[in-house]
Structure formats: C-alpha cells, structure tokens
C-alpha cells in the first residue's frame, strides 16, 4: 500500500501476522476486480448476466467495506487530523468511490428490466436513473483505476506470494 499512515502501517503489520487475513483480502479484491471488468462490459455479457453480476458486485462491495471496517470507521477522525496531502486525497477518493458505487448500484436496481422483475418487483425506472447509471460509469472506472494503482505494491507482492510462488513450487516439485 502506498498511503501508509498510522492505521495503514498497523493493517500491513497485522496482515503479516495474520496470513489468512491477507489471503481473504486478496481473493475478495481479485473477485471484485474480475466482476468489475465483466460488469462494465454489457455488450459481452448481455443484460441478464449484467444485472445479476451487478447485484453480486453489490455484495462484494459490502464485504470489501466490512473487511476494512476499522479503516472506514477511523477515516473521519483522521481526515480532520493533521495528515499528508496524499492521505487527504485518498480519503476524498474513497468517498467518491463509495458514492459512485452506491449511485450505479441503486440506479441499476431502479432501471432493472430482468433481475428485479424476476424476483417479483418491477421498478418504474425513469430517465433520471438511467442517466445516473450511465453517467456514473466513466468517473467510477477512473477512480477504480487510481485506487488499484495506489494499492499496486500490495497487489504485486501478495500476487507473488499467494499465486506465483506456489505455482513455481508446484513446477519445481513436478520436475
Ligand atoms: C473494482 C473495485 C475495487 C478493487 C479492485 C479494490 C481493490 C483494493 C485493494 C487491492 C486494496 C488493498 C488491499 C486490501 O486491503 O484489500 C483495497 C483497499 C481498500 N479499498 Fe478497495 N477496491 C475496489 C473498490 C473499493 C470501493 C468501491 C471502496 C469503497 C469506498 C473501497 C474501499 C477500500 C478501502 C477503505 C481500503 C483500505 C485502504 C487502506 O488500507 O489503505 N474499495 N481495495
Ligand atoms: C458496479 C455495478 C454496475 C456497473 C459498473 C454497470 C455498468 C453499466 C454500463 C456500462 C451500462 C451501459 C451498457 C451499454 O450501453 O452498452 C449499463 C447498462 C445497464 N445496467 Fe448496469 N452496471 C452496474 C450494475 C447494475 C445493476 C445492479 C443493475 C440492475 C440490477 C443494472 C442494470 C442495467 C440496465 C437495465 C442497463 C441498460 C440500460 C439501458 O440502456 O436501457 N446495472 N450498466
């Protein structure tokens, strides 16, 4: 993680002490990213799969936030405290990400043509919700790209430890 303030350092230290936690974080993050790539590609998936994946990503978003509950809970205290410019930008970006995901998912549910009618509720839709859904996507994609880039060191080292190193050990064992 690039923005290691006090809490970030504690989280990194905790991740080293608790390998299962970093394993859980890694697989939730990887599923989140894979689902996100699919859900922004509606021509590839078609609308039915898009809507169910959109609902699945809502569950993954909540899981991701619960996993970082301590970070989120202390964010508002830290944003008021003396902190670096980079940390403040990071907090603003998290708020943007949260608002962005909430707007896309809520508006998506309100324009649903397949998933919600399937479970017995047909939303009335409306051009505002359609506009919100479509217009939020561009800046949310940009924020996700920045968020991933800011966590790149963690992603690279955890991928190496949990994916590539075991694959190399397997390869070595087989020869
Ligand atoms: C495709 C979407 C997303 C991906 C791939 C993603 C990925 C990541 C990764 C790789 C990390 C660092 C490793 C970890 O601690 O899990 C992280 C941390 C975090 N993410 Fe996300 N994330 C996404 C969306 C979001 C959203 C929508 C929020 C909501 C505001 C969010 C909030 C956080 C928070 C609070 C942290 C902890 C920050 C820290 O410890 O410095 N993420 N995310
Ligand atoms: C993070 C979650 C989501 C993202 C990133 C997302 C993204 C998108 C994108 C990019 C489109 C435009 C497709 C195109 O014009 O080719 C779209 C359309 C649509 N999405 Fe989502 N979506 C998400 C969640 C949802 C959810 C949860 C639902 C409903 C259950 C939903 C329902 C729809 C519908 C009905 C359309 C078609 C709108 C129309 O053109 O009439 N979306 N979405």
């Amino acid at each position: 993680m690039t923005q290691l303030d006090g809490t970030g350092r504690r989280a990194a230290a905790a991740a080293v002490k608790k390998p299962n936690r970093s394993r859980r974080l890694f697989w939730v993050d990887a599923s989140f990213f894979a689902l996100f790539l699919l859900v922004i590609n509606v021509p590839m998936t078609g609308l039915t799969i898009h809507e169910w994946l959109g609902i699945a990503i809502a569950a993954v978003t909540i899981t991701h936030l619960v996993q970082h509950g301590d970070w989120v809970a202390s964010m508002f205290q830290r944003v008021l405290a003396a902190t670096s410019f980079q940390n403040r930008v990071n907090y603003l970006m998290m708020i943007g990400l949260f608002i962005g995901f909430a707007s896309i998912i809520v508006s998506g549910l309100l324009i649903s043509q397949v998933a919600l009618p399937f479970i017995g509720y047909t939303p009335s839709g409306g051009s505002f919700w359609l506009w919100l859904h479509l217009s939020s996507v561009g800046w949310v994609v940009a924020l996700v790209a920045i968020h991933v880039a800011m966590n790149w060191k963690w992603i690279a080292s955890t991928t190496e430890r949990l994916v590539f190193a075991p694959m190399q050990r397997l390869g070595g064992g087989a020869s």
Side-chain angles (χ1 to χ4, degrees), residues 156-167:
S157 63
T158 314
T159 307
E160 166 63 30
R161 190 162 53 82
L162 296 181
V163 181
F164 294 133
M167 276 165 67

Side-chain angles (χ1 to χ4, degrees), residues 1 3 29 32 64-65 68 71 94 101 147 151 154-155:
M1 269 175 267
Q3 66 294 346
D29 294 345
F32 205 169
H64 189 63
L65 282 174
H68 295 98
W71 193 98
M94 291 293 187
F101 268 73
H147 182 56
N151 286 290
W154 186 92
I155 295 169

Side-chain angles (χ1 to χ4, degrees), residues 18-28 158 161-162:
K18 294 184 188 164
N20 282 341
R21 172 170 157 80
S22 67
R23 199 177 287 274
R24 279 195 298 271
L25 291 177
F26 178 78
W27 289 114
V28 169
T158 314
R161 190 162 53 82
L162 296 181

Side-chain angles (χ1 to χ4, degrees), residues 135-153:
S135 63
S136 304
V137 173
W139 57 272
V140 167
V141 168
L143 287 182
V144 167
I146 298 172
H147 182 56
V148 167
M150 287 180 86
N151 286 290
W152 190 250
K153 277 189 187 159

Side-chain angles (χ1 to χ4, degrees), residues 7-142:
T7 311
R9 268 193 296 275
R10 278 195 296 281
V16 171
K17 277 192 215 142
K18 294 184 188 164
N20 282 341
R21 172 170 157 80
S22 67
R23 199 177 287 274
R24 279 195 298 271
L25 291 177
F26 178 78
W27 289 114
V28 169
D29 294 345
S31 320
F32 205 169
F33 192 61
L35 274 177
F36 188 71
L37 292 182
L38 286 173
V39 93
I40 54 174
N41 205 336
V42 188
M44 189 182 100
T45 60
L47 191 59
T48 304
I49 293 179
H50 172 76
E51 290 195 8
W52 289 112
L53 291 180
I55 291 170
I57 218 172
V60 178
T61 308
I62 293 168
T63 308
H64 189 63
L65 282 174
V66 168
Q67 283 181 319
H68 295 98
D70 292 349
W71 193 98
V72 175
S74 59
M75 183 182 90
F76 291 100
Q77 281 168 297
R78 280 178 285 139
V79 84
L80 297 173
T83 184
S84 68
F85 178 71
Q86 193 195 0
N87 281 337
R88 281 179 199 272
V89 171
N90 190 35
Y91 300 149
L92 281 178
M93 208 194 57
M94 291 293 187
I95 294 170
L97 266 178
F98 180 78
I99 294 173
F101 268 73
S103 311
I104 296 189
I105 291 166
V106 170
S107 59
L109 291 171
L110 292 172
I111 58 169
S112 170
Q113 297 167 21
V114 188
L116 258 62
F118 178 79
I119 54 176
Y121 173 72
T122 304
S124 49
S127 54
F128 170 75
W129 300 115
L130 179 60
W131 169 83
L132 186 64
H133 194 70
L134 300 181
S135 63
S136 304
V137 173
W139 57 272
V140 167
V141 168

